[in-house]
Amino acid sequence: MIRQSQRLRRVLRKYALDARLARIARAKAERERAHLLETLARIRSAQNAVSCGVASLNGSEAAALGEWSERLLHADASLQPAIDRATVDCGETGRVAHQAKGRMERIEERIAQAMRTEEQQSSTRSESRLARPRTGRNRQP
């Protein structure tokens, strides 16, 4: 039975590593998502600034603002799939971390159960040794 608890401890270490890697991946995905959202906010702020500065422009200035407005619109549109992927990654890595934590808890319960069983077997063996009557074969004169 000691082998079983040792094996369970190895499995527990593996799940602990899985949980740690999932937490690291989740933190990375959350940082990436936050960075992308900050970039999106800056793009939208620039779009607002470009759209507000339309009063009394000559032809070349209006063309430049139109070009910048179009570029910002394309940047906004191209950033959205990356934000969606980062959001999905955050959820997925959170789910993996939660599953690994659940596995760890189940293995910890099994380890505790195996240790209790090992203690019971050990105490049963020691009680049976004490309760056996001596036969006298091993006695020296």
Side-chain angles (χ1 to χ4, degrees):
M1 194 54 91
I2 291 174
R3 277 189 175 160
Q4 181 178 2
S5 64
Q6 289 173 344
R7 184 185 63 80
L8 288 171
R9 284 188 179 96
R10 285 192 302 271
V11 171
L12 179 63
R13 284 192 299 270
K14 182 220 180 279
Y15 287 148
L17 178 62
D18 289 348
R20 182 171 183 235
L21 292 174
R23 284 191 307 268
I24 290 169
R26 182 178 59 193
K28 180 181 175 186
E30 288 172 352
R31 281 191 309 269
E32 180 181 353
R33 182 174 178 268
H35 176 70
L36 290 170
L37 289 174
E38 287 173 10
T39 303
L40 181 64
R42 286 194 304 271
I43 288 171
R44 290 192 176 160
S45 176
Q47 284 175 328
N48 289 336
V50 167
S51 66
C52 292
V54 186
S56 68
L57 298 175
N58 63 25
S60 63
E61 291 173 339
L65 280 178
E67 183 180 339
W68 273 107
S69 180
E70 187 176 330
R71 286 183 183 186
L72 290 170
L73 187 63
H74 287 296
D76 188 333
S78 67
L79 196 58
Q80 198 58 48
I83 291 172
D84 294 343
R85 277 193 308 274
T87 302
V88 168
D89 288 347
C90 286
E92 193 65 25
T93 55
R95 184 186 59 78
V96 170
H98 182 71
Q99 285 178 339
K101 182 179 177 187
R103 287 181 190 134
M104 286 174 51
E105 290 171 354
R106 286 191 300 273
I107 293 296
E108 287 171 347
E109 289 172 10
R110 289 179 62 193
I111 288 172
Q113 181 182 9
M115 289 176 65
R116 284 191 301 270
T117 304
E118 290 168 4
E119 288 173 2
Q120 288 173 353
Q121 288 176 349
S122 175
S123 67
T124 303
R125 277 188 232 126
S126 66
E127 287 174 4
S128 66
R129 286 182 197 146
L130 295 175
R132 270 192 271 163
R134 294 188 159 241
T135 58
R137 282 193 242 168
N138 295 339
R139 290 188 190 169
Q140 292 180 353

